[in-house]
């Protein structure tokens, strides 16, 4: 389980990733992703029960649905940080 300091450090790096991604493609909406960095980091690294390796059955795991495509940079960054 990640500590508050660990989560803050991860969220800071997630924000950096978002800015780099959006700037790199010269397209996108960084505001939504930046605004979600803290809670998605806490959700993914502290609350959700999940396996970082993909399994179709997902038995015993929580499901996460990202319905707002404009905030996909935050999701990609969090996944990249999950190792």
């Amino acid at each position: 389980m990640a500590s508050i300091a660990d989560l803050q450090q991860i969220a800071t790096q997630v924000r950096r990733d978002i800015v780099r991604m959006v700037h790199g493609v010269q397209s996108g909406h960084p505001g939504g992703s930046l605004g979600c960095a803290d809670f998605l980091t806490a959700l993914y690294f502290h609350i959700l029960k999940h396996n970082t390796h993909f399994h179709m059955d997902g038995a015993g795991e929580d499901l996460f649905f990202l319905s707002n495509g404009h905030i996909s940079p935050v999701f990609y960054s969090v996944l990249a940080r999950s190792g």
Side-chain angles (χ1 to χ4, degrees), residues 2-60:
S3 70
I4 297 294
D6 291 337
L7 293 172
Q8 289 173 330
Q9 187 175 29
I10 293 167
T12 297
Q13 188 58 52
V14 165
R15 284 188 206 87
R16 288 182 184 129
D17 292 345
I18 291 164
V19 171
R20 287 181 184 126
M21 278 188 260
V22 173
H23 178 72
V25 296
Q26 295 293 303
S27 180
H29 305 277
S33 291
L34 291 169
C36 296
D38 288 320
F39 77 78
L40 192 58
T41 297
L43 184 67
Y44 196 81
F45 291 99
H46 188 68
I47 296 170
L48 285 177
K49 289 180 264 171
H50 67 285
N51 185 341
T52 57
H53 304 290
F54 181 73
H55 296 284
M56 280 301 284
D57 64 3

Side-chain angles (χ1 to χ4, degrees), residues 39-40 43-44 48 62-67 71 75:
F39 77 78
L40 192 58
L43 184 67
Y44 196 81
L48 285 177
D62 291 329
L63 297 175
F64 174 79
F65 292 93
L66 179 67
S67 62
I71 65 167
F75 184 64

